Amino acid sequence: MITRTAPRWQTSDWQSLLKSSIRSVDDLCDALNITVEDLPVARKAGDDFAVKVPLPYLQRIRPETPNDPLLLQVLPQALEMQAAPGFSTDPLEEAQFNPVPGLIHKYHGRVLLISSPHCAIHCRYCFRRHFDYDANTPGRRHWQPALDYIAADSDIHEVILSGGDPLSATDSYLHELVNAIAAIPHVKTLRLHTRLPVVIPQRITQGLLDAITGTRLKTLMVLHINHANEIDDDVSQAVKVLQSAGIRLLNQSVLLHGVNDSFEALSDLLWKLYALDVGAYYLHVLDMIDGAAHFLCDDSQSMALYNKLAAKLPGYMLPRLVRETASHTSKTPLI
Ligand SMILES: *Cc1c(COP(=O)(O)O)cnc(C)c1O
Ligand code: SF4
């Protein structure tokens, strides 16, 4: 018998936490008692790609610390408005792998569904910050072409719910979508790529667990954590709840200058993930998206850092250092 009461640590419901998110540079600065350089330009960057920081994440940012690794991930900076060579609005050219609305089929056997246009947080380095969600989120009643596409290709064994963030959709929406996917016999695995359990751990409700584990599909969840400070007690608790429901958890990070591009930062993160039984999956180098150039670590630095980790940590704690390129139909390892 599965209990339907919310776990004790869930003091607020996730939708109100989402609604009360910080949504401007000024509010973010006020909340943390910081100032930013060239505020008018930073505000413009915030108009370009809106600020969004929910309170449970805000609470993990140290006040009065302009270089806090969590703050840097969410704070618009004047630097974003400078054009940088090699950076563009669609570095992955995903449009060519978009056969029906909401579906990206680039890798063998796996398709991505853009199952929600929204995220719980806006990460300044995001490669989808310029993505045309309006054209690519079919909404509840319009998934049929994507489902027909999956049904027609028996090589597709895995459906990845991505976004945006798939967990920003409601439980009932996910329940419906997951059941429709499970009705396609050759699909074996449901994977969710999400940052929500980290950003708002209160999102992990019994209704969500029922929606994503209630079918014959094997459920895998890939979290997105870049720094050890993102993992507090509530996040650890959410991880345990997901694991107790039989969901295998992995993590991917993006290597970000100023945030986690040091041996200490990455090693702390990997030890924390190990303690939580969350597998380290990928360490991505930055996608060359307009507005994110200030996060770039060059390849030789990235590889040197990775080699340092490999020299100190057991192999099972190491993620793969990879790059996503427009032409490759798999991630490309740097080492
Ligand atoms: C990363 C990615 C996947 C999943 O790749 P895995 O190596 O299986 O994690 C699938 N489709 C696209 C378009 C991707 O970028
Ligand atoms: S949660 Fe993921 S998709 Fe959303 S803004 Fe952050 S990196 Fe981008």
PDB file of all heavy atoms in Angstrom, residues 81-97:
ATOM      1  N   MET A  81      25.485  40.352 -23.469  1.00  0.00           N
ATOM      2  CA  MET A  81      25.064  41.142 -24.618  1.00  0.00           C
ATOM      3  C   MET A  81      26.188  41.333 -25.640  1.00  0.00           C
ATOM      4  O   MET A  81      25.981  41.933 -26.676  1.00  0.00           O
ATOM      5  CB  MET A  81      24.531  42.510 -24.152  1.00  0.00           C
ATOM      6  CG  MET A  81      23.367  42.426 -23.168  1.00  0.00           C
ATOM      7  SD  MET A  81      21.992  41.400 -23.747  1.00  0.00           S
ATOM      8  CE  MET A  81      21.219  42.516 -24.930  1.00  0.00           C
ATOM      9  N   GLN A  82      27.372  40.813 -25.333  1.00  0.00           N
ATOM     10  CA  GLN A  82      28.479  40.933 -26.289  1.00  0.00           C
ATOM     11  C   GLN A  82      28.491  39.747 -27.244  1.00  0.00           C
ATOM     12  O   GLN A  82      28.443  38.606 -26.803  1.00  0.00           O
ATOM     13  CB  GLN A  82      29.819  40.963 -25.545  1.00  0.00           C
ATOM     14  CG  GLN A  82      29.996  42.203 -24.685  1.00  0.00           C
ATOM     15  CD  GLN A  82      31.241  42.118 -23.807  1.00  0.00           C
ATOM     16  OE1 GLN A  82      32.075  41.236 -23.967  1.00  0.00           O
ATOM     17  NE2 GLN A  82      31.340  43.041 -22.860  1.00  0.00           N
ATOM     18  N   ALA A  83      28.576  40.039 -28.543  1.00  0.00           N
ATOM     19  CA  ALA A  83      28.677  38.943 -29.515  1.00  0.00           C
ATOM     20  C   ALA A  83      30.050  38.295 -29.368  1.00  0.00           C
ATOM     21  O   ALA A  83      31.017  38.960 -29.042  1.00  0.00           O
ATOM     22  CB  ALA A  83      28.507  39.493 -30.922  1.00  0.00           C
ATOM     23  N   ALA A  84      30.116  36.974 -29.558  1.00  0.00           N
ATOM     24  CA  ALA A  84      31.402  36.274 -29.440  1.00  0.00           C
ATOM     25  C   ALA A  84      31.564  35.371 -30.648  1.00  0.00           C
ATOM     26  O   ALA A  84      30.608  34.726 -31.069  1.00  0.00           O
ATOM     27  CB  ALA A  84      31.430  35.460 -28.148  1.00  0.00           C
ATOM     28  N   PRO A  85      32.780  35.318 -31.204  1.00  0.00           N
ATOM     29  CA  PRO A  85      32.982  34.507 -32.410  1.00  0.00           C
ATOM     30  C   PRO A  85      32.694  33.034 -32.134  1.00  0.00           C
ATOM     31  O   PRO A  85      33.075  32.508 -31.086  1.00  0.00           O
ATOM     32  CB  PRO A  85      34.465  34.726 -32.749  1.00  0.00           C
ATOM     33  CG  PRO A  85      35.089  35.371 -31.549  1.00  0.00           C
ATOM     34  CD  PRO A  85      34.007  36.009 -30.767  1.00  0.00           C
ATOM     35  N   GLY A  86      32.004  32.392 -33.057  1.00  0.00           N
ATOM     36  CA  GLY A  86      31.711  30.965 -32.898  1.00  0.00           C
ATOM     37  C   GLY A  86      30.426  30.689 -32.149  1.00  0.00           C
ATOM     38  O   GLY A  86      29.949  29.561 -32.113  1.00  0.00           O
ATOM     39  N   PHE A  87      29.834  31.724 -31.533  1.00  0.00           N
ATOM     40  CA  PHE A  87      28.586  31.528 -30.786  1.00  0.00           C
ATOM     41  C   PHE A  87      27.388  31.919 -31.653  1.00  0.00           C
ATOM     42  O   PHE A  87      27.464  32.873 -32.416  1.00  0.00           O
ATOM     43  CB  PHE A  87      28.606  32.364 -29.498  1.00  0.00           C
ATOM     44  CG  PHE A  87      29.472  31.758 -28.428  1.00  0.00           C
ATOM     45  CD1 PHE A  87      30.860  31.786 -28.526  1.00  0.00           C
ATOM     46  CD2 PHE A  87      28.893  31.121 -27.328  1.00  0.00           C
ATOM     47  CE1 PHE A  87      31.668  31.200 -27.552  1.00  0.00           C
ATOM     48  CE2 PHE A  87      29.691  30.538 -26.348  1.00  0.00           C
ATOM     49  CZ  PHE A  87      31.074  30.582 -26.459  1.00  0.00           C
ATOM     50  N   SER A  88      26.283  31.159 -31.568  1.00  0.00           N
ATOM     51  CA  SER A  88      25.117  31.459 -32.400  1.00  0.00           C
ATOM     52  C   SER A  88      23.844  31.116 -31.640  1.00  0.00           C
ATOM     53  O   SER A  88      23.895  30.620 -30.512  1.00  0.00           O
ATOM     54  CB  SER A  88      25.181  30.642 -33.687  1.00  0.00           C
ATOM     55  OG  SER A  88      24.952  29.278 -33.386  1.00  0.00           O
ATOM     56  N   THR A  89      22.687  31.345 -32.270  1.00  0.00           N
ATOM     57  CA  THR A  89      21.430  31.072 -31.563  1.00  0.00           C
ATOM     58  C   THR A  89      20.981  29.625 -31.714  1.00  0.00           C
ATOM     59  O   THR A  89      20.112  29.171 -30.987  1.00  0.00           O
ATOM     60  CB  THR A  89      20.284  31.990 -32.060  1.00  0.00           C
ATOM     61  OG1 THR A  89      20.183  31.838 -33.469  1.00  0.00           O
ATOM     62  CG2 THR A  89      20.540  33.442 -31.706  1.00  0.00           C
ATOM     63  N   ASP A  90      21.542  28.880 -32.656  1.00  0.00           N
ATOM     64  CA  ASP A  90      21.147  27.474 -32.823  1.00  0.00           C
ATOM     65  C   ASP A  90      22.380  26.630 -33.152  1.00  0.00           C
ATOM     66  O   ASP A  90      22.507  26.094 -34.249  1.00  0.00           O
ATOM     67  CB  ASP A  90      20.092  27.339 -33.937  1.00  0.00           C
ATOM     68  CG  ASP A  90      19.646  25.881 -34.132  1.00  0.00           C
ATOM     69  OD1 ASP A  90      19.844  25.061 -33.216  1.00  0.00           O
ATOM     70  OD2 ASP A  90      19.115  25.565 -35.217  1.00  0.00           O
ATOM     71  N   PRO A  91      23.315  26.502 -32.194  1.00  0.00           N
ATOM     72  CA  PRO A  91      24.578  25.830 -32.518  1.00  0.00           C
ATOM     73  C   PRO A  91      24.386  24.355 -32.873  1.00  0.00           C
ATOM     74  O   PRO A  91      25.211  23.770 -33.548  1.00  0.00           O
ATOM     75  CB  PRO A  91      25.408  25.976 -31.235  1.00  0.00           C
ATOM     76  CG  PRO A  91      24.429  26.209 -30.141  1.00  0.00           C
ATOM     77  CD  PRO A  91      23.267  26.908 -30.776  1.00  0.00           C
ATOM     78  N   LEU A  92      23.298  23.749 -32.403  1.00  0.00           N
ATOM     79  CA  LEU A  92      23.125  22.316 -32.638  1.00  0.00           C
ATOM     80  C   LEU A  92      22.304  22.013 -33.883  1.00  0.00           C
ATOM     81  O   LEU A  92      22.162  20.863 -34.282  1.00  0.00           O
ATOM     82  CB  LEU A  92      22.470  21.651 -31.416  1.00  0.00           C
ATOM     83  CG  LEU A  92      23.227  21.848 -30.101  1.00  0.00           C
ATOM     84  CD1 LEU A  92      22.541  21.093 -28.970  1.00  0.00           C
ATOM     85  CD2 LEU A  92      24.681  21.398 -30.224  1.00  0.00           C
ATOM     86  N   GLU A  93      21.774  23.061 -34.493  1.00  0.00           N
ATOM     87  CA  GLU A  93      20.968  22.905 -35.721  1.00  0.00           C
ATOM     88  C   GLU A  93      19.952  21.777 -35.579  1.00  0.00           C
ATOM     89  O   GLU A  93      19.807  20.927 -36.453  1.00  0.00           O
ATOM     90  CB  GLU A  93      21.886  22.660 -36.924  1.00  0.00           C
ATOM     91  CG  GLU A  93      22.804  23.843 -37.201  1.00  0.00           C
ATOM     92  CD  GLU A  93      23.966  23.502 -38.141  1.00  0.00           C
ATOM     93  OE1 GLU A  93      23.797  22.615 -38.998  1.00  0.00           O
ATOM     94  OE2 GLU A  93      25.027  24.118 -37.998  1.00  0.00           O
ATOM     95  N   GLU A  94      19.234  21.780 -34.451  1.00  0.00           N
ATOM     96  CA  GLU A  94      18.299  20.686 -34.198  1.00  0.00           C
ATOM     97  C   GLU A  94      17.106  20.695 -35.135  1.00  0.00           C
ATOM     98  O   GLU A  94      16.444  19.683 -35.310  1.00  0.00           O
ATOM     99  CB  GLU A  94      17.811  20.745 -32.740  1.00  0.00           C
ATOM    100  CG  GLU A  94      18.821  20.144 -31.774  1.00  0.00           C
ATOM    101  CD  GLU A  94      18.303  20.034 -30.348  1.00  0.00           C
ATOM    102  OE1 GLU A  94      17.406  20.822 -29.982  1.00  0.00           O
ATOM    103  OE2 GLU A  94      18.796  19.174 -29.619  1.00  0.00           O
ATOM    104  N   ALA A  95      16.834  21.853 -35.753  1.00  0.00           N
ATOM    105  CA  ALA A  95      15.664  21.963 -36.623  1.00  0.00           C
ATOM    106  C   ALA A  95      15.623  20.861 -37.682  1.00  0.00           C
ATOM    107  O   ALA A  95      14.562  20.351 -38.034  1.00  0.00           O
ATOM    108  CB  ALA A  95      15.631  23.335 -37.277  1.00  0.00           C
ATOM    109  N   GLN A  96      16.796  20.451 -38.149  1.00  0.00           N
ATOM    110  CA  GLN A  96      16.829  19.430 -39.208  1.00  0.00           C
ATOM    111  C   GLN A  96      16.483  18.029 -38.700  1.00  0.00           C
ATOM    112  O   GLN A  96      16.291  17.109 -39.485  1.00  0.00           O
ATOM    113  CB  GLN A  96      18.204  19.418 -39.884  1.00  0.00           C
ATOM    114  CG  GLN A  96      19.332  19.172 -38.905  1.00  0.00           C
ATOM    115  CD  GLN A  96      20.684  19.052 -39.586  1.00  0.00           C
ATOM    116  OE1 GLN A  96      20.838  18.335 -40.552  1.00  0.00           O
ATOM    117  NE2 GLN A  96      21.672  19.773 -39.067  1.00  0.00           N
ATOM    118  N   PHE A  97      16.426  17.859 -37.361  1.00  0.00           N
ATOM    119  CA  PHE A  97      16.085  16.542 -36.807  1.00  0.00           C
ATOM    120  C   PHE A  97      14.702  16.561 -36.171  1.00  0.00           C
ATOM    121  O   PHE A  97      14.411  15.803 -35.263  1.00  0.00           O
ATOM    122  CB  PHE A  97      17.125  16.120 -35.762  1.00  0.00           C
ATOM    123  CG  PHE A  97      18.530  16.086 -36.296  1.00  0.00           C
ATOM    124  CD1 PHE A  97      19.432  17.092 -35.975  1.00  0.00           C
ATOM    125  CD2 PHE A  97      18.936  15.052 -37.130  1.00  0.00           C
ATOM    126  CE1 PHE A  97      20.728  17.070 -36.472  1.00  0.00           C
ATOM    127  CE2 PHE A  97      20.233  15.017 -37.628  1.00  0.00           C
ATOM    128  CZ  PHE A  97      21.126  16.031 -37.307  1.00  0.00           C
TER     129      PHE A  97
END
